[in-house]
Amino acid sequence: MAATRMFITSLLATICVASPMGHPSIRETLAPRSPDIQSLYQRLHSQAGIQILPSIIDGPIPTNNGPLTFSNWAGALLESSNITSATGTFVVPDPEVPSGGNSSTAYCGCAWIGIDGYSADCPNGGLIQAGATWCIQDGSTSFNAWYEWYPAQEIITFDNFDVKAGDELKVTVTATSTSTGYTVVENLSQGTDIRHTWDTESPALCEATAEWIVEDFTDISNGSDYLAPFADYNGLIFTDSSATANGEKVGVSDARPVNMVQNGNPVSEAVILGDQVFVTYTG
Ligand SMILES: *[C@@H]1O[C@H](CO)[C@@H](O)[C@H](O)[C@H]1NC(C)=O
Ligand SMILES: *[C@@H]1O[C@H](CO)[C@@H](O)[C@H](O)[C@H]1NC(C)=O
Ligand SMILES: *[C@@H]1O[C@H](CO)[C@@H](O)[C@H](O)[C@H]1NC(C)=O
Ligand SMILES: *[C@@H]1O[C@H](CO)[C@@H](O)[C@H](O)[C@H]1NC(C)=O
Protein backbone atom coordinates (compact mmCIF):
# COMPACT_ATOMS: atom_id res chain seq x y z
CA MET A 1 0.00 0.00 0.00
CA ALA A 2 2.06 2.86 -1.30
CA ALA A 3 0.02 5.47 0.42
CA THR A 4 -0.21 3.96 3.86
CA ARG A 5 1.97 6.19 5.91
CA MET A 6 -0.13 7.07 8.87
CA PHE A 7 -0.12 4.71 11.79
CA ILE A 8 -2.09 4.93 14.95
CA THR A 9 -1.18 3.03 18.03
CA SER A 10 -3.63 4.02 20.71
CA LEU A 11 -6.95 4.96 19.28
CA LEU A 12 -9.43 4.99 22.01
CA ALA A 13 -7.36 6.82 24.56
CA THR A 14 -9.86 9.64 24.75
CA ILE A 15 -13.41 8.45 24.98
CA CYS A 16 -16.11 11.05 25.04
CA VAL A 17 -19.68 11.31 23.95
CA ALA A 18 -20.04 13.45 20.90
CA SER A 19 -22.32 16.42 20.87
CA PRO A 20 -22.40 17.87 17.40
CA MET A 21 -22.63 21.59 17.58
CA GLY A 22 -22.17 24.85 15.86
CA HIS A 23 -22.79 26.04 12.37
CA PRO A 24 -19.39 26.37 10.84
CA SER A 25 -19.05 28.92 8.11
CA ILE A 26 -18.00 26.97 5.09
CA ARG A 27 -17.37 29.45 2.33
CA GLU A 28 -19.10 29.06 -0.96
CA THR A 29 -16.70 29.31 -3.82
CA LEU A 30 -17.88 27.27 -6.77
CA ALA A 31 -21.32 25.85 -7.12
CA PRO A 32 -21.61 22.15 -7.86
CA ARG A 33 -22.25 21.24 -11.46
CA SER A 34 -23.83 17.82 -11.81
CA PRO A 35 -26.68 16.04 -10.03
CA ASP A 36 -24.18 13.74 -8.35
CA ILE A 37 -22.05 16.58 -7.17
CA GLN A 38 -25.15 18.52 -6.25
CA SER A 39 -26.45 15.77 -4.00
CA LEU A 40 -23.02 15.25 -2.47
CA TYR A 41 -22.78 18.96 -1.86
CA GLN A 42 -26.22 19.07 -0.29
CA ARG A 43 -25.48 16.11 1.91
CA LEU A 44 -22.26 17.61 3.20
CA HIS A 45 -23.84 20.99 3.72
CA SER A 46 -26.74 19.54 5.57
CA GLN A 47 -24.38 17.53 7.75
CA ALA A 48 -22.47 20.68 8.54
CA GLY A 49 -25.72 22.51 9.29
CA ILE A 50 -25.26 24.96 6.45
CA GLN A 51 -28.02 26.10 4.20
CA ILE A 52 -27.32 25.43 0.58
CA LEU A 53 -27.35 28.42 -1.71
CA PRO A 54 -29.87 28.41 -4.54
CA SER A 55 -27.15 29.09 -7.10
CA ILE A 56 -26.63 25.51 -8.15
CA ILE A 57 -25.86 25.47 -11.83
CA ASP A 58 -25.54 22.74 -14.38
CA GLY A 59 -22.28 22.31 -16.15
CA PRO A 60 -19.24 20.14 -16.43
CA ILE A 61 -17.35 18.94 -13.42
CA PRO A 62 -13.97 20.68 -13.40
CA THR A 63 -11.32 18.57 -15.04
CA ASN A 64 -8.70 17.83 -12.49
CA ASN A 65 -5.48 16.01 -13.06
CA GLY A 66 -5.87 12.25 -13.17
CA PRO A 67 -7.57 10.68 -10.18
CA LEU A 68 -5.80 8.14 -8.02
CA THR A 69 -7.30 5.16 -6.26
CA PHE A 70 -6.06 3.82 -2.96
CA SER A 71 -7.47 1.39 -0.44
CA ASN A 72 -7.00 3.73 2.50
CA TRP A 73 -7.08 7.33 1.25
CA ALA A 74 -9.66 9.71 -0.20
CA GLY A 75 -9.11 13.42 -0.80
CA ALA A 76 -6.63 15.44 -2.81
CA LEU A 77 -2.99 15.03 -3.70
CA LEU A 78 -1.00 17.94 -5.09
CA GLU A 79 2.28 17.13 -6.82
CA SER A 80 4.74 19.98 -7.22
CA SER A 81 8.19 20.95 -5.97
CA ASN A 82 9.55 22.84 -3.00
CA ILE A 83 6.26 22.45 -1.13
CA THR A 84 6.77 24.19 2.18
CA SER A 85 3.26 24.37 3.60
CA ALA A 86 -0.23 22.97 3.28
CA THR A 87 -3.37 24.15 5.00
CA GLY A 88 -7.09 23.58 5.09
CA THR A 89 -10.13 23.57 7.35
CA PHE A 90 -12.61 20.81 8.07
CA VAL A 91 -15.48 20.05 10.38
CA VAL A 92 -14.90 16.99 12.55
CA PRO A 93 -17.52 14.43 11.50
CA ASP A 94 -19.80 12.48 13.79
CA PRO A 95 -18.92 8.85 13.04
CA GLU A 96 -21.56 6.14 12.75
CA VAL A 97 -21.48 2.38 12.60
CA PRO A 98 -21.47 1.46 8.92
CA SER A 99 -24.55 -0.18 7.55
CA GLY A 100 -24.46 -3.87 8.47
CA GLY A 101 -21.77 -3.23 11.08
CA ASN A 102 -21.53 -4.55 14.61
CA SER A 103 -21.85 -1.81 17.21
CA SER A 104 -19.37 -3.62 19.48
CA THR A 105 -16.62 -3.15 16.91
CA ALA A 106 -14.48 0.01 16.99
CA TYR A 107 -14.99 1.86 13.70
CA CYS A 108 -12.65 4.74 13.10
CA GLY A 109 -11.23 7.13 10.54
CA CYS A 110 -9.19 10.27 10.40
CA ALA A 111 -8.63 13.42 8.38
CA TRP A 112 -5.29 15.11 7.99
CA ILE A 113 -3.24 17.53 5.95
CA GLY A 114 0.40 16.79 5.23
CA ILE A 115 3.50 17.12 3.10
CA ASP A 116 5.10 14.09 1.40
CA GLY A 117 2.52 11.49 2.36
CA TYR A 118 2.71 9.96 -1.11
CA SER A 119 5.64 7.62 -0.88
CA ALA A 120 5.77 7.10 -4.65
CA ASP A 121 6.95 10.73 -4.93
CA CYS A 122 9.14 10.63 -1.83
CA PRO A 123 10.58 7.15 -1.42
CA ASN A 124 12.24 6.69 1.96
CA GLY A 125 11.62 10.33 2.83
CA GLY A 126 9.84 11.84 5.78
CA LEU A 127 6.22 12.93 6.03
CA ILE A 128 4.78 15.64 8.23
CA GLN A 129 1.08 15.66 8.94
CA ALA A 130 -1.51 16.67 11.48
CA GLY A 131 -5.20 16.04 11.81
CA ALA A 132 -7.96 14.47 13.83
CA THR A 133 -9.19 10.93 14.43
CA TRP A 134 -12.70 9.74 15.19
CA CYS A 135 -14.01 6.41 16.42
CA ILE A 136 -17.28 4.88 17.49
CA GLN A 137 -17.71 1.77 19.59
CA ASP A 138 -20.56 0.58 21.81
CA GLY A 139 -22.47 3.76 21.08
CA SER A 140 -19.66 6.06 22.28
CA THR A 141 -17.61 8.26 20.04
CA SER A 142 -14.07 9.43 20.69
CA PHE A 143 -11.86 11.99 19.00
CA ASN A 144 -8.39 13.38 19.17
CA ALA A 145 -6.03 15.71 17.36
CA TRP A 146 -2.49 14.59 16.56
CA TYR A 147 0.69 15.21 14.60
CA GLU A 148 3.56 13.11 13.32
CA TRP A 149 6.81 13.13 11.40
CA TYR A 150 6.67 9.70 9.91
CA PRO A 151 8.39 7.29 10.09
CA ALA A 152 10.84 8.51 12.74
CA GLN A 153 8.24 9.97 15.05
CA GLU A 154 4.93 8.20 14.90
CA ILE A 155 1.63 9.71 15.76
CA ILE A 156 1.49 11.80 18.91
CA THR A 157 -1.77 13.06 20.32
CA PHE A 158 -2.07 16.67 21.33
CA ASP A 159 -2.91 16.74 25.01
CA ASN A 160 -5.32 19.27 26.49
CA PHE A 161 -7.09 19.80 23.20
CA ASP A 162 -10.49 18.18 23.29
CA VAL A 163 -11.94 17.53 19.90
CA LYS A 164 -15.50 16.64 19.18
CA ALA A 165 -17.87 16.29 16.25
CA GLY A 166 -18.82 19.66 14.82
CA ASP A 167 -15.56 21.40 15.73
CA GLU A 168 -14.18 23.35 12.81
CA LEU A 169 -10.45 22.73 12.75
CA LYS A 170 -7.89 24.53 10.65
CA VAL A 171 -4.75 22.45 10.14
CA THR A 172 -1.51 23.91 8.84
CA VAL A 173 1.73 22.02 8.33
CA THR A 174 4.85 24.00 7.53
CA ALA A 175 8.31 22.81 6.53
CA THR A 176 10.85 25.46 7.49
CA SER A 177 13.49 23.18 5.91
CA THR A 178 13.49 19.55 4.86
CA SER A 179 14.23 18.55 8.46
CA THR A 180 12.44 21.21 10.50
CA GLY A 181 8.90 22.46 10.64
CA TYR A 182 5.78 22.85 12.67
CA THR A 183 2.13 21.90 12.68
CA VAL A 184 -0.76 23.94 14.02
CA VAL A 185 -4.28 22.75 14.72
CA GLU A 186 -6.61 25.64 15.33
CA ASN A 187 -10.19 25.49 16.60
CA LEU A 188 -11.93 28.11 14.52
CA SER A 189 -15.10 27.77 16.60
CA GLN A 190 -13.18 28.85 19.65
CA GLY A 191 -10.02 30.58 18.48
CA THR A 192 -7.77 28.20 20.39
CA ASP A 193 -4.82 26.44 18.82
CA ILE A 194 -2.14 23.96 19.57
CA ARG A 195 1.16 23.47 17.81
CA HIS A 196 4.21 21.29 17.66
CA THR A 197 7.64 22.32 16.37
CA TRP A 198 10.31 19.95 15.04
CA ASP A 199 13.88 21.17 15.49
CA THR A 200 15.58 18.38 13.62
CA GLU A 201 13.94 15.33 12.14
CA SER A 202 14.85 12.57 9.79
CA PRO A 203 14.36 11.22 7.24
CA ALA A 204 14.27 14.50 5.35
CA LEU A 205 11.23 15.68 3.46
CA CYS A 206 11.21 15.76 -0.34
CA GLU A 207 8.70 18.64 -0.44
CA ALA A 208 7.15 16.91 -3.46
CA THR A 209 3.48 16.53 -2.52
CA ALA A 210 0.81 18.03 -0.30
CA GLU A 211 -2.26 16.06 0.77
CA TRP A 212 -5.76 16.66 2.13
CA ILE A 213 -6.89 13.18 3.12
CA VAL A 214 -9.58 11.17 4.85
CA GLU A 215 -7.93 7.90 5.81
CA ASP A 216 -8.90 4.43 6.82
CA PHE A 217 -5.77 4.00 8.85
CA THR A 218 -3.64 0.96 9.43
CA ASP A 219 -3.97 -0.68 12.81
CA ILE A 220 -0.39 -1.83 13.32
CA SER A 221 -1.30 -3.55 16.56
CA ASN A 222 -3.11 -6.07 14.37
CA GLY A 223 -0.70 -6.55 11.46
CA SER A 224 1.12 -4.16 9.20
CA ASP A 225 -1.49 -4.31 6.47
CA TYR A 226 -4.62 -4.40 8.58
CA LEU A 227 -6.97 -1.50 7.93
CA ALA A 228 -8.99 -0.56 11.00
CA PRO A 229 -12.75 -1.00 10.51
CA PHE A 230 -13.84 2.22 8.83
CA ALA A 231 -16.62 4.36 10.30
CA ASP A 232 -19.38 5.91 8.22
CA TYR A 233 -18.32 9.57 8.50
CA ASN A 234 -20.96 10.73 6.02
CA GLY A 235 -18.70 13.30 4.40
CA LEU A 236 -16.17 15.96 5.02
CA ILE A 237 -15.10 19.08 3.15
CA PHE A 238 -11.63 20.54 3.30
CA THR A 239 -12.22 24.25 2.75
CA ASP A 240 -9.74 27.07 2.18
CA SER A 241 -7.30 24.45 0.99
CA SER A 242 -3.97 25.68 -0.32
CA ALA A 243 -0.26 24.99 -0.26
CA THR A 244 2.95 26.90 -0.76
CA ALA A 245 5.15 25.62 -3.57
CA ASN A 246 8.29 27.32 -4.80
CA GLY A 247 7.48 30.24 -2.56
CA GLU A 248 4.03 30.86 -4.03
CA LYS A 249 0.55 30.07 -2.80
CA VAL A 250 -1.06 27.35 -4.90
CA GLY A 251 -4.60 26.07 -4.80
CA VAL A 252 -5.90 22.54 -4.99
CA SER A 253 -7.46 22.92 -8.44
CA ASP A 254 -4.43 21.15 -9.93
CA ALA A 255 -4.45 18.47 -7.28
CA ARG A 256 -5.42 14.90 -8.13
CA PRO A 257 -8.62 13.60 -6.56
CA VAL A 258 -8.02 10.42 -4.58
CA ASN A 259 -10.77 7.82 -4.30
CA MET A 260 -10.86 5.02 -1.76
CA VAL A 261 -11.71 1.57 -3.08
CA GLN A 262 -11.45 -1.61 -1.00
CA ASN A 263 -11.76 -5.05 -2.56
CA GLY A 264 -13.32 -3.48 -5.63
CA ASN A 265 -15.92 -1.57 -3.62
CA PRO A 266 -15.93 2.23 -3.63
CA VAL A 267 -15.70 3.43 -0.03
CA SER A 268 -15.13 7.15 -0.45
CA GLU A 269 -14.89 9.53 -3.35
CA ALA A 270 -13.40 12.94 -3.70
CA VAL A 271 -14.32 15.95 -5.81
CA ILE A 272 -12.26 19.11 -5.98
CA LEU A 273 -14.10 22.36 -6.57
CA GLY A 274 -12.26 25.63 -6.22
CA ASP A 275 -10.40 25.53 -2.93
CA GLN A 276 -12.69 22.85 -1.54
CA VAL A 277 -12.09 19.13 -1.45
CA PHE A 278 -15.33 17.18 -0.97
CA VAL A 279 -14.86 13.70 0.39
CA THR A 280 -17.93 11.56 0.73
CA TYR A 281 -18.51 8.17 2.31
CA THR A 282 -20.09 5.88 -0.23
CA GLY A 283 -20.06 2.77 1.91
C1 LIG B 1 -20.58 -8.28 17.61
O1 LIG B 1 -19.27 -8.31 18.15
C2 LIG B 1 -19.23 -8.85 19.46
C3 LIG B 1 -17.82 -8.65 19.97
O2 LIG B 1 -16.86 -9.12 19.08
C4 LIG B 1 -19.64 -10.30 19.38
O3 LIG B 1 -19.62 -10.86 20.69
C5 LIG B 1 -21.03 -10.39 18.82
O4 LIG B 1 -21.37 -11.73 18.63
C6 LIG B 1 -21.11 -9.68 17.49
N1 LIG B 1 -22.50 -9.62 17.07
C7 LIG B 1 -22.87 -10.00 15.86
C8 LIG B 1 -24.34 -9.85 15.55
O5 LIG B 1 -22.08 -10.42 15.02
C1 LIG C 1 -13.59 24.16 19.92
O1 LIG C 1 -14.49 25.14 20.25
C2 LIG C 1 -15.75 24.67 20.64
C3 LIG C 1 -16.69 25.83 20.75
O2 LIG C 1 -16.24 26.76 21.67
C4 LIG C 1 -15.56 23.89 21.93
O3 LIG C 1 -16.79 23.40 22.40
C5 LIG C 1 -14.61 22.75 21.64
O4 LIG C 1 -14.34 22.01 22.82
C6 LIG C 1 -13.33 23.28 21.11
N1 LIG C 1 -12.48 22.20 20.67
C7 LIG C 1 -11.18 22.24 20.84
C8 LIG C 1 -10.46 21.09 20.23
O5 LIG C 1 -10.61 23.15 21.40
C1 LIG D 1 -7.45 -8.29 13.57
O1 LIG D 1 -7.41 -8.65 12.19
C2 LIG D 1 -8.24 -9.76 11.84
C3 LIG D 1 -8.08 -9.99 10.35
O2 LIG D 1 -6.75 -10.07 10.03
C4 LIG D 1 -9.68 -9.45 12.18
O3 LIG D 1 -10.48 -10.56 11.90
C5 LIG D 1 -9.81 -9.08 13.64
O4 LIG D 1 -11.13 -8.69 13.92
C6 LIG D 1 -8.88 -7.94 13.96
N1 LIG D 1 -8.93 -7.60 15.36
C7 LIG D 1 -9.18 -6.36 15.80
C8 LIG D 1 -9.14 -6.16 17.27
O5 LIG D 1 -9.42 -5.43 15.06
C1 LIG E 1 13.56 24.29 -5.30
O1 LIG E 1 14.46 23.38 -4.69
C2 LIG E 1 15.60 23.12 -5.45
C3 LIG E 1 16.44 22.04 -4.78
O2 LIG E 1 15.89 21.61 -3.60
C4 LIG E 1 16.39 24.40 -5.60
O3 LIG E 1 17.54 24.16 -6.40
C5 LIG E 1 15.52 25.45 -6.25
O4 LIG E 1 16.20 26.67 -6.31
C6 LIG E 1 14.22 25.63 -5.50
N1 LIG E 1 13.35 26.52 -6.25
C7 LIG E 1 12.73 27.56 -5.69
C8 LIG E 1 11.90 28.39 -6.60
O5 LIG E 1 12.80 27.81 -4.50
Side-chain angles (χ1 to χ4, degrees), residues 21 161-164 167 187 189-190 192:
M21 53 164 291
F161 193 73
D162 292 330
V163 179
K164 60 183 175 312
D167 286 355
N187 180 347
S189 318
Q190 198 168 48
T192 51

